Amino acid sequence: MDFLTELRSRLRTALTSLTDSPDSYVEMLKLSQDGKFGDFQANCAMPLAKQTKKAPRDVATALIEKLDVADLCDPPEIAGPGFINLRLRSDRLAAETAKLTKDDKLGVAEVDSPKTYIVDFSSPNVAKPMHVGHLRSTVIGNALCRILRFLGHRVLSDNHVGDWGTQFGMIIYGYKNFRDDAAYQRDPVSELARLYRLVNQLSDYHELVANLPKQREKLPLSEAALVAARQSAAANPADKDALRLVKKSEQELSDLKGAIASAEKKCQSIDENSALKTLADAHPKIGELARRETAKLHAGDVENKRLWDEFVPKCMLALESMYQRFGITFDMALGESWYNPMLAGIVDELKNQGMAVVSEGATCVFVEGNDAPFIVQKADGAFTYATTDLATIRYRVDTLHADACLYVVDSRQSEHFQLLFATAKKIGYDKTEFRHVSFGTVLGEDRRPYKTRSGDTIGLESLLDEAIQNARKIVDENSSHLSEPERANVSILVGMGAIIYVDLHHNRDSDYVFSWEKMLATTGDTATYIQYAYARVCGILRKGDVDAKQLRSAGHSILLDTPAERALALQLNRFSNALGDVAVDYRPNLLTQYLFETANSFASFYNECPVLNAEPDALRASRLLLCDATARILKQGLNLLGIGVADQM
RNA sequence: GCGCCUGUAGCUCAGCUGGAUAGAGCAACGGAUUUCUAAUCCGUCGGUCGGGGGUUCGAAUCCCUCCAGGCGUACCA
């Protein structure tokens, strides 16, 4: 039973005579932060006392009188300034735990009013191989889908792949000019990726070469500005603004120097490579020409459309193999191209309604409070991802009847989503929950975005391979009792689990530092720890030759006479609540935390309470039931995160 | 310039719709195994929650301000 939710509902009833707005007070009933304060604590008497100008302890006393929890808790106690401490009755906790051990859904009730969620995640660019930057979106989005679905919602996962943008023009241009037919026959996707990188690099080169003189001209100006700022600050040491100006000038100068150095380095790498240099010289307008290929594709050019039709399925197939490794399937993968036919209509509508105006040649929506425009059509007539995203909203709400649309996307795009949602609301989509489920960057040990030493982004494929290889070493050290195929299987589970868990266990808002050492640590708060706990439970059930189905249906009672058993039982009953917490603000880290605590409770129990040798039989049966329920919750919980388990490891 | 985010133990991070002595993991140190997997458990050490003001009976949490860092900011997505 979800005791927290039940107790809150009881508290709500008790509060009705004391306040008209019980909601915020009900929330103040939470898990105790310390076992000596009982299992739950209600902190609402103090603020309520302030409102009514009474003594907090008197309010607490009055509240307790109204609070009907005698069937659930020992008599409530008032402590300190007016905390109400609640401790569950052991008989009730035991009875509810017994019920949970027999429940297929492990005490998780389906939500009263299911919603239709569209979860937009992963969304790689088909032109480029997936890299570490796609990891978080993929992993967080998948976890949210599974959790919301388990709670009883209708969930549609959508891979909104980038298959229509500027990058496609680069591929087409590269294919027409630089392709290696043999390589394309052998491995089309790698060849296309190579062509993309090449065109991108050459086009960058020309842009940098064109801009370098301007930047170099700025250098003396920036230096002079710094000197002037320093002089002014020296003349007025107390002037804070002057000091600030010095810092700012220093920053700007250093940024400028950095930009020039980085540009020079990039140009140099081309200049020194005669083959690349020859190509660069032969294609001086490559950037513009690639953009033109995109425009032709969008305009329906037969040849480009044919190439697009040829490339996209190959790319999608390659992506598919990646998702298979994660065990992810999408309900749909409607890429940008799918919305193409609707874009002109969207812009027309915005114009007709007077919401979009032409500014500096581009068609824009201006949202109050934002200086930057939301550009729905560029000066050259091309549509942008803003247009596509509006069309997507229209489809998701009008056709798919979404109650909520989640976008699991990098936090750097927050401004885009703010404008997108504001615009959607303006055109009438004001009943749907739109939510940018944002997340931070994966950093390297140097606190810069995670890259290889040479500065390339790290491919996801090789990252996963490396994780599994590293896991294999650990498995070999620890599991001499397993056969070769078993070890290989466990290595995959441990390696993949490590990557997924590390990502999910951080608060999604924060950046995190990627570290192999921490991730694959065999101790502490890791996937491995939880997987191991699961395997240990399985070991007990296997060794005892326990028929789980029979065990569950035999009608055994649960006995909770030791602290370890009681703590574990309480923890098992929290599963439902933990999942609910995830759904409130789309935070999977609350589930990783719960699972770690559960595995931890089990480990203590395991240490203190013998199971197979327990006597009498009633105690043995009770402990076996706790083991079985623990295993099921750990397995189900990890499964909701996209992480697998093995019975032995 | 404007906007968003971040700053918590030596390290990596939770906690942030205000509540009791600020929590984990790692690292360090000390214990536990004739008993179901020691990839384990128990304990110790460790923090003026970036600084300063304010609101409050009560602030890591809310407000103001300063400092430090990251990101975004008109035709890439």
Side-chain angles (χ1 to χ4, degrees), chain A residues 438-454:
Chain A
S438 64
F439 55 83
T441 311
V442 181
L443 306 175
E445 309 269 3
D446 59 357
R447 297 224 148 244
R448 307 292 313 158
Y450 190 46
K451 299 261 171 78
T452 61
R453 221 164 262 169
S454 55

Side-chain angles (χ1 to χ4, degrees), chain A residues 9 22 40 78 141 177 208 236 257 384 416 424 426 481 563 587:
Chain A
S9 141
F40 299 91
I78 300 171
N177 292 280
L208 291 171
N236 309 294
K257 280 182 175 167
T384 69
H416 166 72
K426 277 173 98 167
H481 56 286
R587 298 195 175 276

